[in-house]
């Protein structure tokens, strides 16, 4: 069990309360990840801000899911893989894509596969892509803006994945079916 507290509106530092209230309003409950992050109000604020910014990116719902899950799976995040599987279902992402991501099978389209491979290369190579990798990304129809937006998604997932590893965040009941 984690030595970190799963904060509530009653136990969280005062500066975390607006962010926990935002979580409660958006999710109907406070996800355990947010409850843990509330220990540091700035961490919770940064995470929520990155999440909002990535959601506002030019990537569509399928592409966001590919980026999120590719990173979660590469980082072997016990919390985010099932959480984003549940979220993908809520977003009505085709189960073929969800299954391909979680089982590391080829994605249905060439473009989706290139997005996954580019995301993996960025994570594995600490942001360094060869000219050929960049060209393959652009040849698949993606833009310079979208390449930068993958880095935004990585930033968000590094926060959650690393914190989940450090804290051993317990999985929310809503995500357990997707473990």
């Amino acid at each position: 069990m984690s030595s970190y507290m799963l904060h509530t509106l009653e136990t969280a530092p005062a500066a975390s309360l607006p962010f926990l209230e935002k979580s409660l309003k958006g999710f109907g409950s406070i996800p355990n990840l947010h409850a843990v992050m509330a220990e540091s109000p700035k961490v919770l604020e940064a995470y929520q801000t990155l999440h909002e910014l990535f959601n506002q990116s030019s990537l569509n719902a399928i592409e966001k899911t590919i980026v999120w899950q590719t990173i979660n799976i590469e980082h072997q995040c016990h919390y985010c893989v099932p959480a984003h599987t549940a979220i993908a279902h809520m977003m009505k992402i085709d189960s073929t894509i969800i299954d391909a991501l979680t089982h590391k099978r080829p994605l249905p389209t060439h473009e989706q596969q290139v997005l996954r491979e580019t995301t993996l290369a960025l994570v594995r190579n600490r942001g360094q892509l060869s000219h050929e990798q960049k060209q393959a990304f652009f040849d698949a129809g993606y833009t310079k803006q979208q390449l930068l937006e993958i880095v935004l998604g990585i930033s968000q997932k590094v926060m959650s994945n690393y914190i989940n590893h450090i804290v051993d965040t317990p999985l929310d009941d809503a995500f357990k079916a997707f473990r």
Side-chain angles (χ1 to χ4, degrees):
M1 186 65 170
S2 170
S3 61
Y4 282 78
M5 178 179 270
L6 292 176
H7 283 288
T8 65
L9 295 175
E10 291 74 34
T11 64
S16 288
L17 292 179
F19 306 108
L20 288 180
E21 288 168 353
K22 186 178 185 178
S23 298
L24 188 57
K25 183 178 177 185
F27 296 99
S29 64
I30 298 171
N32 288 344
L33 174 61
H34 297 200
V36 166
M37 287 180 168
E39 185 72 28
S40 172
K42 290 300 178 189
V43 167
L44 182 55
E45 179 183 15
Y47 180 75
Q48 286 186 350
T49 300
L50 288 172
H51 180 72
E52 288 172 15
L53 292 171
F54 189 64
N55 267 328
Q56 295 166 12
S57 74
S58 65
L59 298 169
N60 66 37
I62 292 170
E63 293 164 338
K64 286 176 190 136
T65 298
I66 291 168
V67 171
W68 279 325
Q69 281 295 63
T70 298
I71 300 161
N72 292 334
I73 290 164
E74 180 66 14
H75 287 164
Q76 301 174 1
C77 185
H78 73 280
Y79 184 92
C80 287
V81 171
H84 276 279
T85 301
I87 291 166
H89 283 287
M90 288 187 284
M91 292 169 64
K92 308 259 189 266
I93 302 298
D94 187 291
S95 60
T96 304
I97 294 170
I98 296 169
D99 186 61
L101 287 165
T102 56
H103 295 98
K104 298 182 181 181
R105 291 199 277 266
L107 288 162
T109 71
H110 171 73
E111 294 78 15
Q112 292 167 351
Q113 191 61 36
V114 167
L115 178 59
R116 174 202 261 165
E117 290 167 4
T118 303
T119 302
L120 270 176
L122 284 166
V123 170
R124 290 176 177 166
N125 301 323
R126 296 178 179 94
Q128 297 184 43
L129 294 179
S130 69
H131 172 75
E132 293 78 18
Q133 289 168 316
K134 286 185 230 176
Q135 195 58 54
F137 183 76
F138 299 135
D139 287 348
Y142 293 104
T143 66
K144 292 176 183 177
Q145 175 182 342
Q146 290 169 320
L147 186 57
L148 298 177
E149 289 170 347
I150 294 171
V151 176
L152 176 60
I154 292 169
S155 301
Q156 177 198 0
K157 296 304 356 177
V158 163
M159 284 188 75
S160 60
N161 293 172
Y162 285 20
I163 288 170
N164 287 323
H165 290 314
I166 292 166
V167 174
D168 195 23
T169 309
L171 197 56
D172 300 70
D173 289 339
F175 307 142
K176 286 182 179 175
F178 301 99
R179 194 178 335 196

